Amino acid sequence: MFPSTSATAARFLRFPFTSTTTAPRRGMAASAGAPSDPPPQQQPPSPSPKAVRVVVKGRVQGVFFRDWTVETARSLGLAGWVRNRRDGTVEALLSGEPDKVDEMVSRRIPVGPPASAVTAVVPSPADPVDPAEGFHRKPTA
């Protein structure tokens, strides 16, 4: 059932754990003056945060939409808020990494929780919020 160990397999199993050649070792004095490891590479700067205010239309009130938005936004690491509006829509401010904000606006919100029926998502630019604020529900406006 299992293939037998061949010379090729043994070579792959050995690499990189054992070496077929031996490199000369340096003493403590030789390695003290020059660093043996390359300098650590710097992390690329994180993208500046993006924020979008969205108004969500359709059957979005009374269907767990706000709680679903809070859970989904937190799972994506977003900050901001969500609230019902008196006109029957839901409004949210989404702030965080641009790709996560875009995913929430273009892929998650248009689907929403199972009982919802989103007919439109109307985004507009907004100022980013402090990530330490987290994501929360606000009272109806």
Side-chain angles (χ1 to χ4, degrees), residues 116-131:
S116 69
V118 176
T119 59
V121 178
V122 182
S124 59
D127 292 327
V129 297
D130 183 5

Side-chain angles (χ1 to χ4, degrees), residues 8 14 21 26-27 33 38 41 44-45 47 59 66 68 72 78 81 88 93 97-99 104 113 127 131 134 137 141:
T8 304
R14 232 183 358 246
T21 61
R26 289 194 251 168
Q41 293 188 3
R59 189 175 68 229
R66 287 175 298 161
W68 173 88
T72 306
L78 299 178
W81 49 262
L93 175 69
E97 293 181 26
D99 59 333
M104 186 73 172
D127 292 327
R137 280 174 57 161

Side-chain angles (χ1 to χ4, degrees), residues 52-57 60-61 65-66 69-70 80-94 109 121-122 124 126 135-141:
V52 176
R53 182 182 152 265
V54 294
V55 175
V56 187
K57 299 178 180 182
V60 292
Q61 289 192 10
F65 202 93
R66 287 175 298 161
T69 302
V70 170
W81 49 262
V82 62
R83 66 181 171 196
N84 281 343
R85 294 185 358 164
R86 287 188 175 84
D87 64 2
T89 62
V90 168
E91 177 182 25
L93 175 69
L94 308 161
I109 287 179
V121 178
V122 182
S124 59
F135 200 93
H136 59 277
R137 280 174 57 161
K138 288 177 78 171
T140 300

